[in-house]
Amino acid sequence: IKSQHRLFTKQPTIRVFEGIEGLRDLYRETLRDGQPVYALVSADEPDLEMVRWLRGTYAKERVASGIRVFGIFSDSALARSVVAAPGELREARIIDGEKYPFKGEVDAFGGKIAFISYKSDERIGVLLESPSVAETVRSVVRALFDLLPQDSSSSGSRSKAT
């Protein structure tokens, strides 16, 4: 019965990405997908090489592709500087990092969810391809986005995450 069940049920795909190049490949998945990114982001001891690549190369490629980001950022000086960057097709809300201390990053785009840690001692990402789980993560980000106050450092137009 189990083997017959697998024939009729699409199993989610899981891929693991390791190291700086692996994480870059994971972020490039968002560029290939071309859909808006709904993100939960913490600037939890990030690897500075990754930060430079994300803020430089990746951000430029994402903007050139017209990919918007709707993000909930755990409050920190680095998060506020990222959120304040003009022209990056990013709408953001800041959440109290002490009260809600999430770590790493979770991105939902298309039918995929990326779980990412870009700390210097823990460069790893896991990509789960599951449209239903991706929709759940998007819904959580949208709900938080709508409930949290707009921050004056947010770039882009002031609208609800759609």
Side-chain angles (χ1 to χ4, degrees), residues 116-143:
I116 304 163
S117 175
Y118 39 72
K119 290 171 58 171
S120 295
D121 65 345
E122 189 180 79
R123 296 180 195 117
I124 190 163
V126 176
L127 184 67
L128 171 64
E129 295 184 49
S130 170
S132 60
V133 176
E135 185 57 35
T136 298
V137 173
R138 261 192 303 280
S139 293
V140 168
V141 173
R142 284 184 188 131

PDB file of all heavy atoms in Angstrom, residues 116-143:
ATOM      1  N   ILE A 116      18.070  29.189   5.514  1.00  0.00           N
ATOM      2  CA  ILE A 116      19.453  29.585   5.292  1.00  0.00           C
ATOM      3  C   ILE A 116      20.120  30.049   6.580  1.00  0.00           C
ATOM      4  O   ILE A 116      19.543  30.825   7.341  1.00  0.00           O
ATOM      5  CB  ILE A 116      19.515  30.743   4.261  1.00  0.00           C
ATOM      6  CG1 ILE A 116      18.815  30.329   2.969  1.00  0.00           C
ATOM      7  CG2 ILE A 116      20.947  31.184   4.008  1.00  0.00           C
ATOM      8  CD1 ILE A 116      18.459  31.490   2.057  1.00  0.00           C
ATOM      9  N   SER A 117      21.350  29.584   6.788  1.00  0.00           N
ATOM     10  CA  SER A 117      22.211  30.128   7.833  1.00  0.00           C
ATOM     11  C   SER A 117      23.488  30.591   7.147  1.00  0.00           C
ATOM     12  O   SER A 117      24.167  29.801   6.492  1.00  0.00           O
ATOM     13  CB  SER A 117      22.559  29.075   8.892  1.00  0.00           C
ATOM     14  OG  SER A 117      23.494  29.626   9.803  1.00  0.00           O
ATOM     15  N   TYR A 118      23.781  31.880   7.266  1.00  0.00           N
ATOM     16  CA  TYR A 118      24.999  32.394   6.641  1.00  0.00           C
ATOM     17  C   TYR A 118      25.963  32.937   7.676  1.00  0.00           C
ATOM     18  O   TYR A 118      26.730  33.855   7.420  1.00  0.00           O
ATOM     19  CB  TYR A 118      24.712  33.425   5.542  1.00  0.00           C
ATOM     20  CG  TYR A 118      23.573  34.380   5.826  1.00  0.00           C
ATOM     21  CD1 TYR A 118      23.693  35.388   6.756  1.00  0.00           C
ATOM     22  CD2 TYR A 118      22.375  34.257   5.138  1.00  0.00           C
ATOM     23  CE1 TYR A 118      22.658  36.240   7.012  1.00  0.00           C
ATOM     24  CE2 TYR A 118      21.333  35.120   5.386  1.00  0.00           C
ATOM     25  CZ  TYR A 118      21.480  36.127   6.329  1.00  0.00           C
ATOM     26  OH  TYR A 118      20.440  36.973   6.572  1.00  0.00           O
ATOM     27  N   LYS A 119      25.932  32.324   8.863  1.00  0.00           N
ATOM     28  CA  LYS A 119      26.942  32.626   9.868  1.00  0.00           C
ATOM     29  C   LYS A 119      28.273  32.049   9.392  1.00  0.00           C
ATOM     30  O   LYS A 119      28.305  31.042   8.687  1.00  0.00           O
ATOM     31  CB  LYS A 119      26.554  31.993  11.204  1.00  0.00           C
ATOM     32  CG  LYS A 119      25.353  32.639  11.862  1.00  0.00           C
ATOM     33  CD  LYS A 119      24.867  31.869  13.060  1.00  0.00           C
ATOM     34  CE  LYS A 119      25.918  31.704  14.107  1.00  0.00           C
ATOM     35  NZ  LYS A 119      25.430  31.146  15.359  1.00  0.00           N
ATOM     36  N   SER A 120      29.366  32.663   9.784  1.00  0.00           N
ATOM     37  CA  SER A 120      30.692  32.211   9.348  1.00  0.00           C
ATOM     38  C   SER A 120      30.953  30.749   9.683  1.00  0.00           C
ATOM     39  O   SER A 120      31.613  30.044   8.922  1.00  0.00           O
ATOM     40  CB  SER A 120      31.778  33.085   9.976  1.00  0.00           C
ATOM     41  OG  SER A 120      31.672  34.399   9.492  1.00  0.00           O
ATOM     42  N   ASP A 121      30.444  30.294  10.816  1.00  0.00           N
ATOM     43  CA  ASP A 121      30.711  28.914  11.227  1.00  0.00           C
ATOM     44  C   ASP A 121      29.574  27.954  10.876  1.00  0.00           C
ATOM     45  O   ASP A 121      29.577  26.810  11.308  1.00  0.00           O
ATOM     46  CB  ASP A 121      30.997  28.868  12.731  1.00  0.00           C
ATOM     47  CG  ASP A 121      29.806  29.274  13.574  1.00  0.00           C
ATOM     48  OD1 ASP A 121      28.850  29.870  13.028  1.00  0.00           O
ATOM     49  OD2 ASP A 121      29.817  29.012  14.789  1.00  0.00           O
ATOM     50  N   GLU A 122      28.608  28.431  10.069  1.00  0.00           N
ATOM     51  CA  GLU A 122      27.448  27.586   9.759  1.00  0.00           C
ATOM     52  C   GLU A 122      26.846  28.010   8.413  1.00  0.00           C
ATOM     53  O   GLU A 122      25.704  28.423   8.342  1.00  0.00           O
ATOM     54  CB  GLU A 122      26.409  27.725  10.876  1.00  0.00           C
ATOM     55  CG  GLU A 122      25.265  26.754  10.784  1.00  0.00           C
ATOM     56  CD  GLU A 122      24.272  26.949  11.908  1.00  0.00           C
ATOM     57  OE1 GLU A 122      23.455  27.881  11.838  1.00  0.00           O
ATOM     58  OE2 GLU A 122      24.352  26.164  12.862  1.00  0.00           O
ATOM     59  N   ARG A 123      27.600  27.898   7.366  1.00  0.00           N
ATOM     60  CA  ARG A 123      27.120  28.282   6.031  1.00  0.00           C
ATOM     61  C   ARG A 123      26.402  27.105   5.401  1.00  0.00           C
ATOM     62  O   ARG A 123      27.021  26.233   4.792  1.00  0.00           O
ATOM     63  CB  ARG A 123      28.291  28.707   5.154  1.00  0.00           C
ATOM     64  CG  ARG A 123      29.006  29.922   5.642  1.00  0.00           C
ATOM     65  CD  ARG A 123      30.161  30.241   4.691  1.00  0.00           C
ATOM     66  NE  ARG A 123      31.073  31.180   5.290  1.00  0.00           N
ATOM     67  CZ  ARG A 123      32.339  30.916   5.569  1.00  0.00           C
ATOM     68  NH1 ARG A 123      32.849  29.734   5.306  1.00  0.00           N
ATOM     69  NH2 ARG A 123      33.099  31.836   6.104  1.00  0.00           N
ATOM     70  N   ILE A 124      25.070  27.114   5.551  1.00  0.00           N
ATOM     71  CA  ILE A 124      24.290  25.995   5.014  1.00  0.00           C
ATOM     72  C   ILE A 124      22.896  26.479   4.636  1.00  0.00           C
ATOM     73  O   ILE A 124      22.359  27.406   5.245  1.00  0.00           O
ATOM     74  CB  ILE A 124      24.205  24.824   6.010  1.00  0.00           C
ATOM     75  CG1 ILE A 124      23.616  23.581   5.350  1.00  0.00           C
ATOM     76  CG2 ILE A 124      23.435  25.226   7.262  1.00  0.00           C
ATOM     77  CD1 ILE A 124      23.867  22.304   6.098  1.00  0.00           C
ATOM     78  N   GLY A 125      22.347  25.863   3.609  1.00  0.00           N
ATOM     79  CA  GLY A 125      20.983  26.150   3.209  1.00  0.00           C
ATOM     80  C   GLY A 125      20.278  24.871   2.816  1.00  0.00           C
ATOM     81  O   GLY A 125      20.899  23.935   2.321  1.00  0.00           O
ATOM     82  N   VAL A 126      18.986  24.842   3.054  1.00  0.00           N
ATOM     83  CA  VAL A 126      18.155  23.700   2.674  1.00  0.00           C
ATOM     84  C   VAL A 126      17.013  24.256   1.834  1.00  0.00           C
ATOM     85  O   VAL A 126      16.348  25.215   2.235  1.00  0.00           O
ATOM     86  CB  VAL A 126      17.604  22.968   3.914  1.00  0.00           C
ATOM     87  CG1 VAL A 126      16.660  21.847   3.509  1.00  0.00           C
ATOM     88  CG2 VAL A 126      18.734  22.439   4.783  1.00  0.00           C
ATOM     89  N   LEU A 127      16.813  23.671   0.676  1.00  0.00           N
ATOM     90  CA  LEU A 127      15.741  24.096  -0.215  1.00  0.00           C
ATOM     91  C   LEU A 127      14.688  23.003  -0.268  1.00  0.00           C
ATOM     92  O   LEU A 127      14.990  21.859  -0.621  1.00  0.00           O
ATOM     93  CB  LEU A 127      16.280  24.378  -1.621  1.00  0.00           C
ATOM     94  CG  LEU A 127      15.257  24.925  -2.617  1.00  0.00           C
ATOM     95  CD1 LEU A 127      14.803  26.318  -2.202  1.00  0.00           C
ATOM     96  CD2 LEU A 127      15.859  24.961  -4.009  1.00  0.00           C
ATOM     97  N   LEU A 128      13.479  23.356   0.099  1.00  0.00           N
ATOM     98  CA  LEU A 128      12.348  22.435   0.080  1.00  0.00           C
ATOM     99  C   LEU A 128      11.415  22.868  -1.046  1.00  0.00           C
ATOM    100  O   LEU A 128      10.978  24.023  -1.079  1.00  0.00           O
ATOM    101  CB  LEU A 128      11.607  22.472   1.421  1.00  0.00           C
ATOM    102  CG  LEU A 128      10.281  21.724   1.510  1.00  0.00           C
ATOM    103  CD1 LEU A 128      10.483  20.231   1.317  1.00  0.00           C
ATOM    104  CD2 LEU A 128       9.597  22.020   2.829  1.00  0.00           C
ATOM    105  N   GLU A 129      11.159  21.968  -1.977  1.00  0.00           N
ATOM    106  CA  GLU A 129      10.217  22.256  -3.060  1.00  0.00           C
ATOM    107  C   GLU A 129       8.886  21.629  -2.705  1.00  0.00           C
ATOM    108  O   GLU A 129       8.709  20.414  -2.802  1.00  0.00           O
ATOM    109  CB  GLU A 129      10.754  21.722  -4.386  1.00  0.00           C
ATOM    110  CG  GLU A 129      12.015  22.433  -4.824  1.00  0.00           C
ATOM    111  CD  GLU A 129      12.506  21.991  -6.193  1.00  0.00           C
ATOM    112  OE1 GLU A 129      11.692  21.959  -7.134  1.00  0.00           O
ATOM    113  OE2 GLU A 129      13.708  21.687  -6.295  1.00  0.00           O
ATOM    114  N   SER A 130       7.968  22.488  -2.257  1.00  0.00           N
ATOM    115  CA  SER A 130       6.635  22.053  -1.852  1.00  0.00           C
ATOM    116  C   SER A 130       5.701  23.258  -1.969  1.00  0.00           C
ATOM    117  O   SER A 130       5.743  24.156  -1.118  1.00  0.00           O
ATOM    118  CB  SER A 130       6.640  21.531  -0.416  1.00  0.00           C
ATOM    119  OG  SER A 130       5.319  21.325   0.037  1.00  0.00           O
ATOM    120  N   PRO A 131       4.878  23.310  -3.006  1.00  0.00           N
ATOM    121  CA  PRO A 131       3.993  24.460  -3.178  1.00  0.00           C
ATOM    122  C   PRO A 131       3.099  24.745  -1.969  1.00  0.00           C
ATOM    123  O   PRO A 131       2.897  25.904  -1.617  1.00  0.00           O
ATOM    124  CB  PRO A 131       3.157  24.082  -4.408  1.00  0.00           C
ATOM    125  CG  PRO A 131       4.050  23.171  -5.186  1.00  0.00           C
ATOM    126  CD  PRO A 131       4.789  22.375  -4.131  1.00  0.00           C
ATOM    127  N   SER A 132       2.587  23.715  -1.314  1.00  0.00           N
ATOM    128  CA  SER A 132       1.696  23.956  -0.179  1.00  0.00           C
ATOM    129  C   SER A 132       2.451  24.542   1.013  1.00  0.00           C
ATOM    130  O   SER A 132       1.958  25.457   1.674  1.00  0.00           O
ATOM    131  CB  SER A 132       0.949  22.681   0.219  1.00  0.00           C
ATOM    132  OG  SER A 132       1.853  21.667   0.587  1.00  0.00           O
ATOM    133  N   VAL A 133       3.644  24.055   1.286  1.00  0.00           N
ATOM    134  CA  VAL A 133       4.431  24.609   2.388  1.00  0.00           C
ATOM    135  C   VAL A 133       4.887  26.028   2.039  1.00  0.00           C
ATOM    136  O   VAL A 133       4.860  26.920   2.887  1.00  0.00           O
ATOM    137  CB  VAL A 133       5.628  23.698   2.740  1.00  0.00           C
ATOM    138  CG1 VAL A 133       6.491  24.329   3.824  1.00  0.00           C
ATOM    139  CG2 VAL A 133       5.138  22.333   3.196  1.00  0.00           C
ATOM    140  N   ALA A 134       5.255  26.265   0.784  1.00  0.00           N
ATOM    141  CA  ALA A 134       5.657  27.607   0.356  1.00  0.00           C
ATOM    142  C   ALA A 134       4.507  28.589   0.546  1.00  0.00           C
ATOM    143  O   ALA A 134       4.713  29.720   1.009  1.00  0.00           O
ATOM    144  CB  ALA A 134       6.115  27.591  -1.099  1.00  0.00           C
ATOM    145  N   GLU A 135       3.300  28.177   0.209  1.00  0.00           N
ATOM    146  CA  GLU A 135       2.143  29.064   0.381  1.00  0.00           C
ATOM    147  C   GLU A 135       1.903  29.366   1.861  1.00  0.00           C
ATOM    148  O   GLU A 135       1.545  30.492   2.219  1.00  0.00           O
ATOM    149  CB  GLU A 135       0.887  28.454  -0.246  1.00  0.00           C
ATOM    150  CG  GLU A 135      -0.312  29.379  -0.197  1.00  0.00           C
ATOM    151  CD  GLU A 135      -0.077  30.729  -0.875  1.00  0.00           C
ATOM    152  OE1 GLU A 135       0.641  30.797  -1.893  1.00  0.00           O
ATOM    153  OE2 GLU A 135      -0.625  31.733  -0.378  1.00  0.00           O
ATOM    154  N   THR A 136       2.117  28.397   2.724  1.00  0.00           N
ATOM    155  CA  THR A 136       1.962  28.626   4.161  1.00  0.00           C
ATOM    156  C   THR A 136       2.971  29.657   4.652  1.00  0.00           C
ATOM    157  O   THR A 136       2.618  30.590   5.378  1.00  0.00           O
ATOM    158  CB  THR A 136       2.114  27.302   4.940  1.00  0.00           C
ATOM    159  OG1 THR A 136       1.082  26.414   4.517  1.00  0.00           O
ATOM    160  CG2 THR A 136       2.037  27.529   6.439  1.00  0.00           C
ATOM    161  N   VAL A 137       4.235  29.522   4.250  1.00  0.00           N
ATOM    162  CA  VAL A 137       5.267  30.479   4.665  1.00  0.00           C
ATOM    163  C   VAL A 137       4.948  31.867   4.114  1.00  0.00           C
ATOM    164  O   VAL A 137       5.047  32.867   4.822  1.00  0.00           O
ATOM    165  CB  VAL A 137       6.679  30.008   4.237  1.00  0.00           C
ATOM    166  CG1 VAL A 137       7.719  31.080   4.505  1.00  0.00           C
ATOM    167  CG2 VAL A 137       7.038  28.713   4.964  1.00  0.00           C
ATOM    168  N   ARG A 138       4.527  31.937   2.849  1.00  0.00           N
ATOM    169  CA  ARG A 138       4.136  33.239   2.267  1.00  0.00           C
ATOM    170  C   ARG A 138       3.011  33.867   3.067  1.00  0.00           C
ATOM    171  O   ARG A 138       3.011  35.077   3.331  1.00  0.00           O
ATOM    172  CB  ARG A 138       3.678  33.050   0.812  1.00  0.00           C
ATOM    173  CG  ARG A 138       4.717  33.373  -0.208  1.00  0.00           C
ATOM    174  CD  ARG A 138       4.143  33.466  -1.613  1.00  0.00           C
ATOM    175  NE  ARG A 138       3.455  32.266  -2.045  1.00  0.00           N
ATOM    176  CZ  ARG A 138       4.069  31.177  -2.502  1.00  0.00           C
ATOM    177  NH1 ARG A 138       5.384  31.139  -2.594  1.00  0.00           N
ATOM    178  NH2 ARG A 138       3.379  30.124  -2.877  1.00  0.00           N
ATOM    179  N   SER A 139       2.039  33.075   3.466  1.00  0.00           N
ATOM    180  CA  SER A 139       0.907  33.590   4.236  1.00  0.00           C
ATOM    181  C   SER A 139       1.348  34.134   5.596  1.00  0.00           C
ATOM    182  O   SER A 139       0.842  35.159   6.048  1.00  0.00           O
ATOM    183  CB  SER A 139      -0.159  32.508   4.420  1.00  0.00           C
ATOM    184  OG  SER A 139      -0.731  32.189   3.171  1.00  0.00           O
ATOM    185  N   VAL A 140       2.280  33.448   6.237  1.00  0.00           N
ATOM    186  CA  VAL A 140       2.806  33.934   7.527  1.00  0.00           C
ATOM    187  C   VAL A 140       3.512  35.276   7.326  1.00  0.00           C
ATOM    188  O   VAL A 140       3.295  36.230   8.091  1.00  0.00           O
ATOM    189  CB  VAL A 140       3.755  32.893   8.164  1.00  0.00           C
ATOM    190  CG1 VAL A 140       4.521  33.483   9.336  1.00  0.00           C
ATOM    191  CG2 VAL A 140       2.978  31.663   8.601  1.00  0.00           C
ATOM    192  N   VAL A 141       4.338  35.379   6.301  1.00  0.00           N
ATOM    193  CA  VAL A 141       5.042  36.642   6.039  1.00  0.00           C
ATOM    194  C   VAL A 141       4.033  37.740   5.716  1.00  0.00           C
ATOM    195  O   VAL A 141       4.145  38.861   6.238  1.00  0.00           O
ATOM    196  CB  VAL A 141       6.090  36.486   4.914  1.00  0.00           C
ATOM    197  CG1 VAL A 141       6.689  37.835   4.531  1.00  0.00           C
ATOM    198  CG2 VAL A 141       7.194  35.523   5.354  1.00  0.00           C
ATOM    199  N   ARG A 142       3.043  37.445   4.885  1.00  0.00           N
ATOM    200  CA  ARG A 142       2.017  38.451   4.557  1.00  0.00           C
ATOM    201  C   ARG A 142       1.286  38.918   5.807  1.00  0.00           C
ATOM    202  O   ARG A 142       1.015  40.111   5.974  1.00  0.00           O
ATOM    203  CB  ARG A 142       1.012  37.878   3.568  1.00  0.00           C
ATOM    204  CG  ARG A 142       1.506  37.778   2.161  1.00  0.00           C
ATOM    205  CD  ARG A 142       0.364  37.273   1.257  1.00  0.00           C
ATOM    206  NE  ARG A 142       0.835  36.989  -0.059  1.00  0.00           N
ATOM    207  CZ  ARG A 142       0.583  35.862  -0.715  1.00  0.00           C
ATOM    208  NH1 ARG A 142      -0.124  34.898  -0.159  1.00  0.00           N
ATOM    209  NH2 ARG A 142       1.046  35.688  -1.928  1.00  0.00           N
ATOM    210  N   ALA A 143       0.919  37.988   6.676  1.00  0.00           N
ATOM    211  CA  ALA A 143       0.203  38.357   7.904  1.00  0.00           C
ATOM    212  C   ALA A 143       1.063  39.262   8.772  1.00  0.00           C
ATOM    213  O   ALA A 143       0.596  40.302   9.259  1.00  0.00           O
ATOM    214  CB  ALA A 143      -0.209  37.092   8.668  1.00  0.00           C
TER     215      ALA A 143
END
